[in-house]
């Protein structure tokens, strides 16, 4: 189960783009909360607080408690718009969470014990992380901030698939219900010379 993180927000009136620019100049991020049975609500957040928060994985994969004048709404981040070159967050979208309904979210994969595995200790083996996150489905109470993938037994030539992940209780990977074609590789361990041969093969053809 993931932790929750509280963020204080302020309600704002829906206005034109000029108003949003003024908010950003004042160090405030315009945002919207939507979903569920309630109407969408326009809010604003402190830019510095969110800039620090968004540097952590939990900001993207955890339930957030938005505190509006003492009233808390549980949400997930659904979209973040950034400035193309400035360190500036332009807008945020939050989706309300229903405690009794399964949600879909992308959570990061944390690979452990790779260095001590047979493949990790072999000088001529290249271990590649094909995926860094996975889309899961679960009730809000079961949402993990990340999922660990133990590579302690990884050998040269091994491939770790989505179906090999040990999932927390109550968590599913929807893609696996679509058939074997969707059981993607998340880690591969190949000898370095095999990678070189694979790269040269198309050129030779």
């Amino acid at each position: 189960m993931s932790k929750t993180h509280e963020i204080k927000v302020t309600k704002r009136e829906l206005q034109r783009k000029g108003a949003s620019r003024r908010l950003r100049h004042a160090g405030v991020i315009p945002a919207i909360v939507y979903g569920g049975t309630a109407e969408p609500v326009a809010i604003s957040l402190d830019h510095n607080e969110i800039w620090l928060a968004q540097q952590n994985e939990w900001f993207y994969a955890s339930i957030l408690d938005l505190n509006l004048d003492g009233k808390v709404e549980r949400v997930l981040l659904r979209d973040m718009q950034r400035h193309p070159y400035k360190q500036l967050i332009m807008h945020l979208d939050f989706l309300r969470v229903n405690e009794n309904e399964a949600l879909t979210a992308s959570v990061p994969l944390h690979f452990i014990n790779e260095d001590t595995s047979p493949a990790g200790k072999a000088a001529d083996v290249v271990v590649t992380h094909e995926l860094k996150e996975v889309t899961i489905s679960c009730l809000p109470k079961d949402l993990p901030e990340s999922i660990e993938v133990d590579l302690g037994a990884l050998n040269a030539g091994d491939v770790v698939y989505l179906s090999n992940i040990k999932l927390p209780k109550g968590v599913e990977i929807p893609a696996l219900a679509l058939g074997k074609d969707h059981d993607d590789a998340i880690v591969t361990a190949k000898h370095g010379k095999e990678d070189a041969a694979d790269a040269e093969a198309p050129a030779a053809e």
Side-chain angles (χ1 to χ4, degrees), residues 42-150:
I43 60 172
S44 58
L45 307 90
D46 180 78
H47 188 277
N48 289 340
E49 180 184 357
I50 300 304
W51 183 260
L52 292 175
Q54 60 87 36
Q55 297 176 43
N56 299 281
E57 286 184 340
W58 58 257
F59 188 70
Y60 304 92
S62 297
I63 295 172
L64 306 174
D65 286 348
L66 297 187
N67 187 329
L68 176 60
D69 298 328
K71 180 182 177 182
V72 174
E73 282 201 296
R74 309 197 76 198
V75 302
L76 279 174
L77 177 68
R78 273 299 181 242
D79 187 52
M80 175 189 289
Q81 298 174 23
R82 302 173 185 266
H83 194 279
Y85 57 88
K86 295 181 181 178
Q87 290 189 339
L88 185 66
I89 300 170
M90 305 293 288
H91 194 274
L92 297 169
D93 289 7
F94 296 103
L95 176 67
R96 294 186 182 97
V97 168
N98 185 327
E99 298 291 342
N100 300 313
E101 292 183 3
L103 55 82
T104 300
S106 294
V107 298
L109 296 173
H110 285 180
F111 301 99
I112 61 172
N113 300 323
E114 178 181 326
D115 293 343
T116 58
S117 69
K121 291 189 289 187
D124 62 337
V125 175
V126 177
V127 178
T128 304
H129 299 169
E130 304 290 349
L131 296 177
K132 295 183 179 180
E133 61 180 24
V134 62
T135 299
I136 62 170
S137 175
C138 62
L139 289 174
K141 68 181 181 65
D142 296 322
L143 179 65
E145 291 189 2
S146 62
I147 294 177
E148 285 190 347
V149 181
D150 191 346

Side-chain angles (χ1 to χ4, degrees), residues 149 158-165 176 180 183-187:
V149 181
D158 285 351
V159 179
V160 181
Y161 294 94
L162 286 174
S163 57
N164 300 134
I165 297 176
L176 294 179
K180 291 184 178 180
D183 190 8
D184 296 333
I186 58 174
V187 175

